[in-house]
């Protein structure tokens, strides 16, 4: 018993030292108190790095002292039809060929080209399908395809579902909720009557596996391509209803998603609607933190407008590697000359972009009027939480909690099975791609590496990547939701 207790105390101590010192300190502590280093003992006992990391997560991930009690989530919600992408396209009598990205899909051919374009990169993407009749035909074929499954869909609904797994948390979901979706939602989720509609919005999720082949295209990793003809979500028609419902619900956290859905409606609509969205968001009480969940976009002007107008009035954002790079390209930020990431995104380059966002559009300086103080970045192999010092607590646990749920949920499990996952994160990396930069390392026994740049603190942890993922849809939403559950907003004065 005492050995387990010592190990638990040691791991907690190691993370504390990690926070204030360098990645080499935990080993020094271990040597000082004459207990074996987990990394060394794992090699001697045959424990894998995956086992060491998973065990460390279980010890170190603890809920914050002050937890959220009421969370309001909006505004995109739908029913997802999940189907084999290659299988469905073959059933639609579409032949493989070369890939080509399309900002908006107008036909089956556009769908084929865009699907191949992203499949050969192993990248997630989401597009609007403009032709209502053609979309309905494809949707019917998808629903009838052998093995097709129906799930709760839309970032807001998925985040709400994840939050509802915590019994002490009351969740309000506002969005276009039809009868099928309402039936599928967790009983704990409150849906305002004004949010209900007579018909459901359907999104088609074309999944592919790592190594899956179609013609000359082979997927380097498992992922999915999403498309829809969804006008309710596309116009964010529930946003004003959502904001109006907050006075009665009195949340202590607001989570907003769905801005990406407006992109496919054309510039004239999104320009006007974005102004209305900013006014609506500005009506939310200033003492309530707002998290914005981003998703795949292709219009640089639209992304730039979100960056300039929306990001400064939210407290936190969540995004993946495609969204991060596109955001930098839209704003001509660091590494915006990259066309795409080559393999696992470089930690230093990611750190540069995160720092730039908080500098340009966040509150990295006391004189700034922006509210943005937190970014939760996730990619397949690792996650980073970048926060302005003094605003957020429990971020080491939060970033590990997000990684843990990515590892378990991708495998379709409630907990991590170390036999079904693998470590792909770099064990050594740099804090920046440019000078001055610090060489850092990941210690599996205390798997959070912490570094600073000015007033911004970075927490990075590895993900134990599922070798044979069962479902990739909604993983980013689960990661962000879990990270927020384990986060604590500080009340003391920053800096």
């Amino acid at each position: 018993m005492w050995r387990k207790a010592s190990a638990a105390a040691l791991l907690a101590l190691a993370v504390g030292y990690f926070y204030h010192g360098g990645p080499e300190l935990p080993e020094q502590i271990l040597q000082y108190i004459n207990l074996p280093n987990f990394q060394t003992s794992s090699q001697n006992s045959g424990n894998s790095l995956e086992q060491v990391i998973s065990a460390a997560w279980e010890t170190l991930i603890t809920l914050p002292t002050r937890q959220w009690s009421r969370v309001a989530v909006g505004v995109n919600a739908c029913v997802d039809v999940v189907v084999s992408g290659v299988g469905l396209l073959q059933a639609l009598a579409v032949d493989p060929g070369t890939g080509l990205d399309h900002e908006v899909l107008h036909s089956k051919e556009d769908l084929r080209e865009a699907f191949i374009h992203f499949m050969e990169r192993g990248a997630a993407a989401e597009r609007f399908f403009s032709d209502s009749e053609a979309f309905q035909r494809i949707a019917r074929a998808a629903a009838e395809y052998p093995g097709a499954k129906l799930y709760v869909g839309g970032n807001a609904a998925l985040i709400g579902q994840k939050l509802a797994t915590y019994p002490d948390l009351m969740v309000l979901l506002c969005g276009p909720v039809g009868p099928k979706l309402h039936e599928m939602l967790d009983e704990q989720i409150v849906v305002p009557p004004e949010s209900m509609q007579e018909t459901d919005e359907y999104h088609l999720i074309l999944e592919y596996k790592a190594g899956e082949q179609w013609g000359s295209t082979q997927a380097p990793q498992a992922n999915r391509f999403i498309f829809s003809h969804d006008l309710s979500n596309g116009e964010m028609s529930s946003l004003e209803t959502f904001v109006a419902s907050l006075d009665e619900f009195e949340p202590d956290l607001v989570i907003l998603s769905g801005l990406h859905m407006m992109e496919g409606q054309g510039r004239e609509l999104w320009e006007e609607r974005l102004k209305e969205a900013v006014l609506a968001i500005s009506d939310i009480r200033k003492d309530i933190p707002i998290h914005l969940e981003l998703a795949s976009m292709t219009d640089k002007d639209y992304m730039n407008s979100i960056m300039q107008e929306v990001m400064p009035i939210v407290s936190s954002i969540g995004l993946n590697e495609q969204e991060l790079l596109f955001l930098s390209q839209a704003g001509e930020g660091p590494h915006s000359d990259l066309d795409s990431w080559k393999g696992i995104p470089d930690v230093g380059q990611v750190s540069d972009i995160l720092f730039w966002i908080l500098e340009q559009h966040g509150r990295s300086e006391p004189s700034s009027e922006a509210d943005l103080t937190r970014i939760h970045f996730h990619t397949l192999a690792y996650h980073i939480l970048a926060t302005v010092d003094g605003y957020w607590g429990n971020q080491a646990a939060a970033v590990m909690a997000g990684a843990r749920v990515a590892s378990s949920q991708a495998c379709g499990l409630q907990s991590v099975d170390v036999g079904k996952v693998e470590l792909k994160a770099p064990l050594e990396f740099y804090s920046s791609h440019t000078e001055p930069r610090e060489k850092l390392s990941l210690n599996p026994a205390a798997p959070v590496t912490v570094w600073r740049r000015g007033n911004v603190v970075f927490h990075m942890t590895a993900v134990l990547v599922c070798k044979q993922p069962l479902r990739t849809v909604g993983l980013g939403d689960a990661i962000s939701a879990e990270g927020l559950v384990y986060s604590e907003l500080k009340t003391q004065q920053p800096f």
Side-chain angles (χ1 to χ4, degrees):
M1 286 294 291
W2 69 268
R3 285 184 180 275
K4 287 184 179 178
S6 297
L10 175 64
L11 283 167
L13 187 61
V15 164
Y17 268 85
F18 245 63
Y19 191 90
H20 296 291
E24 72 283 353
L25 282 171
E27 187 176 352
Q28 293 169 3
I29 302 164
L30 290 162
Q31 290 170 349
Y32 178 75
I33 62 174
N34 202 27
L35 279 173
N37 183 318
F38 268 77
Q39 201 166 353
T40 307
S41 69
S42 76
Q43 292 161 1
N44 295 337
S45 66
N47 286 351
S48 66
L49 294 181
E50 288 84 359
Q51 286 173 305
V52 176
I53 290 171
S54 181
W57 283 347
E58 294 312 309
T59 305
L60 297 170
I61 297 174
T62 55
L63 285 161
T65 308
R66 288 191 311 116
Q67 298 170 41
W68 317 109
S69 59
R70 303 168 74 86
V71 180
V73 190
V75 291
N76 60 327
C78 63
V79 175
D80 280 345
V81 182
V82 182
V83 66
S84 160
V86 172
L88 177 63
L89 289 168
Q90 287 174 334
L92 293 170
V94 174
D95 294 323
T98 55
L100 180 66
D101 191 14
H102 294 274
E103 291 189 4
V104 176
L105 309 179
H106 302 288
S107 65
K108 274 197 307 186
E109 288 308 307
D110 286 358
L111 171 62
R112 174 186 65 81
E113 291 175 345
F115 176 78
I116 291 171
H117 174 83
F118 289 101
M119 180 182 174
E120 64 189 3
R121 289 162 175 76
E126 186 164 350
R127 296 290 179 266
F128 180 77
F129 199 106
S130 65
D131 187 327
S132 175
E133 288 185 15
F135 177 77
Q136 294 303 328
R137 287 195 296 271
I138 296 169
R140 277 195 297 273
E144 293 166 4
Y145 188 82
K149 293 175 182 171
L150 268 59
Y151 294 100
V152 170
N155 307 87
L158 286 162
I159 289 170
Q161 285 286 87
K162 186 62 190 172
L163 294 173
T165 61
Y166 290 86
D168 296 331
L169 198 54
M170 194 168 181
V171 182
L172 174 87
L173 172 65
C174 201
V177 177
K180 184 64 181 175
L181 177 58
H182 197 235
E183 175 192 313
M184 297 165 75
L185 288 173
D186 190 287
E187 291 178 0
Q188 199 172 314
I189 294 175
V190 177
V191 179
E194 301 81 9
S195 249
M196 298 293 294
Q197 58 181 44
E198 291 181 6
T199 57
D200 286 280
E201 299 288 356
Y202 286 90
H203 288 207
L204 302 191
I205 319 292
L206 307 192
E207 291 198 319
Y208 49 85
K209 297 173 183 173
E212 187 169 356
Q213 190 105 17
W214 191 35
S216 60
T217 302
Q218 186 173 28
Q221 64 189 36
N223 223 317
R224 75 282 189 279
F225 181 84
I226 306 175
F227 67 105
S228 65
H229 179 82
D230 179 347
L231 298 178
S232 296
N233 285 303
E235 295 169 1
M236 289 189 81
S237 57
S238 301
L239 181 60
E240 282 77 9
T241 301
F242 177 53
V243 173
S245 68
L246 299 180
D247 285 340
E248 185 180 343
F249 184 69
E250 295 183 333
D252 41 23
L253 171 66
V254 168
I255 300 174
L256 179 66
S257 63
L259 285 173
H260 64 286
M261 295 295 299
M262 291 201 291
E263 183 184 54
Q265 304 300 306
R267 186 182 187 108
E268 191 175 331
L269 184 142
W270 67 247
E271 272 189 342
E272 186 61 34
R273 194 72 182 107
L274 196 63
K275 289 175 188 171
E276 294 167 355
V278 168
L279 286 173
I281 296 164
S282 300
D283 283 342
I284 298 171
R285 279 198 352 239
K286 291 296 179 190
D287 59 328
I288 303 173
I290 303 168
H291 172 85
L292 173 66
E293 191 67 15
L294 292 174
S296 176
M297 285 180 261
T298 59
D299 186 321
K300 287 184 180 178
D301 289 340
Y302 183 53
M303 177 60 105
N304 202 41
S305 294
I306 289 172
M307 194 162 38
Q308 301 288 341
E309 298 171 39
V310 182
M311 284 189 192
I313 61 172
V314 300
S315 317
S316 167
I317 60 173
L319 75 178
N320 68 17
E321 74 276 13
Q322 271 94 32
E323 293 140 21
L324 184 79
L325 183 57
F326 187 65
L327 201 152
S328 187
Q329 290 167 344
E332 298 181 353
H335 315 297
S336 54
D337 55 333
L338 287 175
D339 289 330
S340 61
W341 301 107
K342 302 292 185 284
I344 296 169
D346 178 80
V347 175
Q349 290 177 319
V350 167
S351 174
D352 291 340
I353 302 173
L354 294 173
F355 185 67
W356 168 76
I357 295 169
L358 288 170
E359 264 200 325
Q360 296 295 312
H361 307 286
R363 200 170 188 165
S364 66
E365 295 299 329
S367 57
S368 172
E369 293 182 2
D371 294 320
L372 181 64
T373 51
R374 177 183 184 272
I375 305 175
H376 193 165
F377 167 82
H378 54 89
T379 187
L380 183 73
Y382 65 88
H383 297 172
I384 296 176
L385 260 170
T387 53
V388 178
D389 196 17
Y391 286 91
W392 296 88
N394 210 43
Q395 294 302 277
V399 76
M400 286 188 285
R404 181 175 63 180
V405 81
S407 301
S408 59
Q409 188 166 308
C411 286
L413 301 170
Q414 294 299 312
S415 58
V416 178
D417 182 340
V418 292
K420 295 183 177 181
V421 295
E422 58 186 328
L423 181 65
K424 289 191 173 184
L427 292 178
E428 290 192 336
F429 47 89
Y430 288 95
S431 61
S432 169
H433 195 66
T434 54
E435 297 297 339
R437 61 182 189 165
E438 183 183 357
K439 189 173 184 180
L440 301 165
S441 62
L442 179 73
N443 177 1
V448 178
T449 308
V450 182
W451 68 96
R452 283 176 166 274
R453 294 175 70 174
N455 290 321
V456 178
V457 183
F458 297 83
H459 291 79
M460 182 264 203
T461 195
V463 175
L464 299 179
V465 181
C466 186
K467 294 175 188 175
Q468 295 183 311
L470 296 179
R471 187 164 181 252
T472 58
V473 176
L475 213 51
D477 302 309
I479 291 162
S480 287
E482 197 81 347
L484 286 165
V485 166
Y486 282 85
S487 291
E488 182 175 358
L489 190 69
K490 292 186 177 181
T491 53
Q492 70 264 30
Q493 286 297 310
F495 308 116

